[in-house]
Amino acid sequence: PLLRSLKNRYLRKKVMQASLSKGLRGNGFDTREVLLKMVKLRAKRAEIFGKSSHAHYSLTEQTAGSPEKVHTMLRKIAPAALANAKAEGRDLERLAKLDGIEKLESWDWDYYTEKVRAEKYDLDTSLMKPYFELESVLFKGVFYAAGKLYGMSFKERPDLVTYHPEARAFEVFNEDGSKIGLYIADFYTRDSKRGGAWMNSLVKQSHLLNQLPVVVNNLNIPKPPEGEATLLTLDETTTLFHEFGHAIHGLLSNVKYPRFSGTAVQRDFVEFPSQVNEMWILDPQIVDNYARHYQSGERLPQSWIDKLEESSTFNEGHATTSYLAAAILDLAWHSLSSDEVVSDVEKFEAEAIESYGLAYDCVPTRYRSSYFSHIFAGGYSAGYYGYIWAEVFDADTGEWFKENGGLSRKNGDHLRSKLMSQGGSIDSLEMFRNFRGRDAVIEPLLKRRGLVSNA
């Protein structure tokens, strides 16, 4: 976030280079040796199971089925993404030259992006914070949307003891008053909490064990001084809606066996419910209910909402290119056999990205190998592609809602019964077909990301 506002170019460069060199400094925190060891061990394990690589081993049980199918999809997107990123770069460089900068660099991108955004759309998202007060976003936005769509209601239970004083418990009910489960919200950053945002199932729904779900959402919102309101950025508001989509997936589970409960779907499908939940952020019914100035009660100006929608594809070339570089880097590492030797991590990384035609200095990969915790310390090895893979389903679902009248209880009940409640008890692609009536198509995703004209 600092790069958006730092006027001192030397400091921007210092911040960016420090960020990109995590785990590469030749000290006790250098991760390259353990990274290479993990890659080799994963490849050996795959070979024991008769697969040529960890990617082939891992994707056998995913909706994609094979790395080849993933590459086919990613290569449909990559050229258009890079073309858009370079066009965006030329636009940024035009303003940078007014400041005496002849060549745009990665550390200049965010700073001049905000200037171009203001120039093109007269939009400063930082001015929106007073309209995104946490309690309003939670109760009148996130919970309200869940009620409108699924008939869910939430009652805070301060009498229930949670694992930390800042974690809040809510009892969740169906429209008829029957209990769904418990939702725990842990929003503030603290020294003992890891970074990022996520959802966990503390107790999985199961008819076999006669248990209701208990799910938790963790965010890392800076806690304001005592007595002051918690004001969210647009990004933080989006994150809350996103993570709550995972929570809904866990809460609405209706399966017999805990192994298939809630989010226990194929990994490259797990981001689908969370991305679907993001579509309600600016829905007229929802945004008008929660996006109110925390002091005056004034609604978020319609002109700002219009500009947000108008600028929805702004900077998507950068975002998509940065993401795709990380996704193909993940696949490159996990497509190696156990006999293949990599001696230079940075060289391997650069060649993998170059082979896709995605090398563009102004847009570095979202994660370098040395700190790519999703794939080396998390559960996304050979699966980071899953975010955009799931977005294909999500974007197509957005089209379904448009075709069927938008946010309504009828549509919510259909989504709940055919997909959200099924967990992993049915193949994910079959679930989507049961919901949509056909397989997903990629065109809505390309349209959403502004890639249609170049694709």
Side-chain angles (χ1 to χ4, degrees):
L2 283 172
L3 296 178
R4 295 180 183 178
S5 57
L6 273 175
K7 296 180 181 179
N8 186 311
R9 194 181 189 218
Y10 169 74
L11 289 180
R12 292 203 303 267
K13 179 178 180 180
K14 192 171 181 181
V15 169
M16 176 61 88
Q17 290 184 335
S19 178
L20 293 176
S21 65
K22 293 191 294 285
L24 290 171
R25 302 186 182 182
N27 55 23
F29 301 103
D30 195 309
T31 61
R32 285 172 288 190
E33 184 178 342
V34 70
L35 179 162
L36 293 172
K37 185 176 181 181
M38 290 173 73
V39 168
K40 186 171 287 291
L41 286 172
R42 286 172 177 173
K44 285 183 177 180
R45 178 178 60 185
E47 289 161 8
I48 290 171
F49 283 95
K51 301 295 182 181
S52 59
S53 71
H54 176 73
H56 285 88
Y57 165 73
S58 179
L59 268 67
T60 299
E61 296 185 354
Q62 305 307 320
T63 63
S66 71
E68 289 76 18
K69 288 185 178 179
V70 176
H71 284 299
T72 297
M73 188 268 282
L74 296 183
R75 289 190 183 279
K76 288 180 180 179
I77 302 172
L82 185 65
N84 279 21
K86 288 185 174 181
E88 292 163 1
R90 290 190 292 272
D91 215 11
L92 302 181
E93 199 162 61
R94 174 180 56 82
L95 284 187
K97 285 182 177 179
L98 298 178
D99 290 339
I101 297 172
E102 287 302 311
K103 184 178 185 298
L104 190 77
E105 300 286 357
S106 60
W107 46 86
D108 299 315
W109 193 284
D110 286 354
Y111 180 75
Y112 285 101
T113 289
E114 292 310 303
K115 287 183 174 293
V116 171
R117 192 197 307 270
E119 178 187 81
K120 280 191 169 183
Y121 305 105
D122 190 22
L123 181 64
D124 183 353
T125 57
S126 67
L127 298 178
M128 297 180 181
K129 287 186 69 174
Y131 295 87
F132 297 143
E133 190 271 326
L134 175 59
E135 297 302 295
S136 183
V137 172
L138 180 63
F139 284 93
K140 298 180 180 181
V142 170
F143 289 170
Y144 181 73
K148 297 288 285 185
L149 194 61
Y150 304 110
M152 302 169 76
S153 62
F154 299 79
K155 178 184 177 183
E156 189 156 12
R157 292 288 304 274
D159 56 309
L160 296 181
V161 178
T162 58
Y163 58 85
H164 191 277
E166 291 180 351
R168 303 158 62 182
F170 297 83
E171 198 166 7
V172 189
F173 300 91
N174 282 306
E175 198 167 33
D176 62 6
S178 59
K179 294 181 179 179
I180 292 178
L182 288 177
Y183 170 69
I184 297 173
D186 187 354
F187 295 137
Y188 294 117
T189 188
R190 55 180 178 271
D191 290 344
S192 61
K193 185 193 284 191
R194 70 176 172 89
W198 67 95
M199 170 270 189
N200 286 124
S201 290
L202 303 184
V203 178
K204 294 184 176 183
Q205 178 273 330
S206 166
H207 293 308
L208 178 69
L209 302 178
N210 194 31
Q211 61 191 28
L212 296 177
V214 179
V215 304
V216 58
N217 272 161
N218 270 278
L219 274 67
N220 269 280
I221 300 167
K223 191 173 184 180
E226 188 70 30
E228 294 189 15
T230 302
L231 304 180
L232 308 183
T233 64
L234 178 61
D235 284 347
E236 287 167 339
T237 300
T238 302
T239 298
L240 179 50
F241 271 87
H242 177 97
E243 295 302 333
F244 191 73
H246 287 305
I248 290 174
H249 200 187
L251 288 166
L252 294 185
S253 179
N254 186 26
V255 299
K256 182 175 181 178
Y257 300 106
R259 183 179 188 275
F260 300 120
S261 181
T263 58
V265 295
Q266 287 151 297
R267 186 183 56 208
D268 54 9
F269 195 76
V270 75
E271 294 298 330
F272 165 72
S274 55
Q275 292 174 347
V276 165
N277 206 54
E278 290 182 37
M279 74 173 65
W280 310 124
I281 294 171
L282 294 181
D283 183 275
Q285 295 182 66
I286 307 304
V287 71
D288 191 53
N289 199 56
Y290 79 88
R292 301 272 175 164
H293 195 285
Y294 78 107
Q295 290 175 321
S296 68
E298 173 194 4
R299 73 186 297 274
L300 186 70
Q302 185 61 44
S303 60
W304 291 6
I305 296 172
D306 294 341
K307 287 171 184 174
L308 279 175
E309 292 176 338
E310 183 185 350
S311 64
S312 62
T313 61
F314 178 72
N315 208 43
E316 276 297 328
H318 178 284
T320 308
T321 300
S322 174
Y323 166 81
L324 289 177
I328 64 99
L329 181 59
D330 170 32
L331 289 172
W333 280 119
H334 293 111
S335 295
L336 295 172
S337 69
S338 63
D339 295 330
E340 291 180 272
V341 177
V342 175
S343 56
D344 188 328
V345 170
E346 294 98 309
K347 182 180 178 183
F348 178 85
E349 183 177 277
E351 289 176 349
I353 294 170
E354 176 65 42
S355 72
Y356 243 74
L358 286 173
Y360 180 31
D361 289 343
C362 287
V363 185
T365 175
R366 182 177 293 184
Y367 301 106
R368 299 287 302 274
S369 303
S370 57
Y371 57 89
F372 203 165
S373 61
H374 279 75
I375 66 171
F376 290 118
Y380 282 82
S381 59
Y384 193 66
Y385 74 90
Y387 285 90
I388 204 161
W389 186 269
E391 196 180 340
V392 172
F393 300 106
D394 161 42
D396 202 11
T397 298
E399 292 300 305
W400 180 88
F401 271 100
K402 290 177 184 177
E403 294 163 7
N404 290 276
L407 189 152
S408 70
R409 290 284 291 106
K410 179 182 177 182
N411 289 342
D413 285 344
H414 180 67
L415 179 60
R416 178 177 183 169
S417 65
K418 297 298 183 183
L419 201 150
M420 298 294 284
S421 64
Q422 299 297 323
S425 64
I426 302 175
D427 176 78
S428 298
L429 293 181
E430 183 181 345
M431 272 194 295
F432 187 83
R433 281 191 290 269
N434 292 340
F435 162 72
R436 187 68 170 100
R438 58 163 172 74
D439 289 329
V441 294
I442 197 172
E443 285 74 17
L445 169 69
L446 298 177
K447 179 181 177 183
R448 172 190 287 184
R449 286 183 172 250
L451 305 177
V452 173
S453 60
N454 298 316

